[in-house]
Amino acid sequence: MLGEQDKALETYTAALHVYMDIAGKEHVSYAATLSNLGVLYKEMSKGRVISKNDLDGSGDGHEGPVVIPVKGMERQNYLDRSEEALVEARETRQKLLGETHKDTLYSAIHLASLWKLRDRPQDALVLLRESLLLAESTYGEKYVHLYCMYYIR
């Protein structure tokens, strides 16, 4: 639902604590939730998504989304948190699942996308190339297109 980024953040954070308490940080469910949290923080750095109706009370509630930009330190905070979560998720997945597992590759693509957003295009391209080569050699050419789509979003 639009405008429920705060609710999603609260839910992912609570799930992360549950997985940490039950299974520990070295578990695929913990890494998956951490990755989702990292992607959420990345999206939140772009702005707060709300419906037009929530913004001004007009209309019937079916209008398209409105993005309220975040700037300065708030944006930087979201980007920092996103990077921390995505790096840890990738490292955990590498350790538990291996370099060529699809979830590890998705983690790399999400991290490359974040680095692109953070004006680190060289780092992003190096990681993207490595990931795409691994994806192609492991899963075939059809998966390369899928990974590229994640990067350009």
Side-chain angles (χ1 to χ4, degrees):
M1 299 275 298
L2 290 176
E4 297 198 21
Q5 292 168 317
D6 291 330
K7 186 176 181 181
L9 181 60
E10 185 180 309
T11 302
Y12 282 136
T13 302
L16 205 59
H17 290 292
V18 169
Y19 288 130
M20 195 170 12
D21 291 344
I22 292 173
K25 289 185 173 187
E26 299 295 317
H27 193 274
V28 292
S29 295
Y30 178 86
T33 304
L34 199 57
S35 180
N36 291 336
L37 189 59
V39 171
L40 176 63
Y41 280 132
K42 183 182 86 162
E43 293 305 313
M44 290 174 77
S45 78
K46 297 175 185 177
R48 310 295 284 171
V49 180
I50 60 172
S51 71
K52 185 175 183 331
N53 189 51
D54 290 340
L55 180 64
D56 60 14
S58 66
D60 60 6
H62 292 93
E63 289 83 9
V66 176
V67 178
I68 307 297
V70 294
K71 297 179 182 177
M73 291 304 295
E74 182 180 15
R75 182 173 189 273
Q76 187 64 42
N77 186 39
Y78 286 135
L79 292 171
D80 290 345
R81 288 179 177 202
S82 177
E83 187 162 359
E84 288 171 15
L86 291 174
V87 166
E88 186 179 346
R90 180 173 178 245
E91 289 172 352
T92 302
R93 285 174 164 171
Q94 284 174 318
K95 182 177 180 179
L96 297 175
L97 304 171
E99 288 281 337
T100 60
H101 191 278
K102 65 179 181 66
D103 290 341
T104 305
L105 293 169
Y106 279 121
S107 290
I109 299 303
H110 287 304
L111 185 57
S113 177
L114 174 70
W115 286 347
K116 181 181 79 166
L117 184 64
R118 295 192 88 167
D119 294 324
R120 294 173 54 188
Q122 289 305 104
D123 293 332
L125 285 175
V126 168
L127 184 56
L128 181 64
R129 279 190 198 113
E130 291 172 1
S131 300
L132 293 178
L133 287 172
L134 285 171
E136 184 176 31
S137 67
T138 305
Y139 301 105
E141 189 176 313
K142 66 181 178 179
Y143 282 91
V144 172
H145 302 293
L146 180 64
Y147 291 113
C148 285
M149 287 179 11
Y150 271 94
Y151 177 75
I152 59 177
R153 292 192 326 176

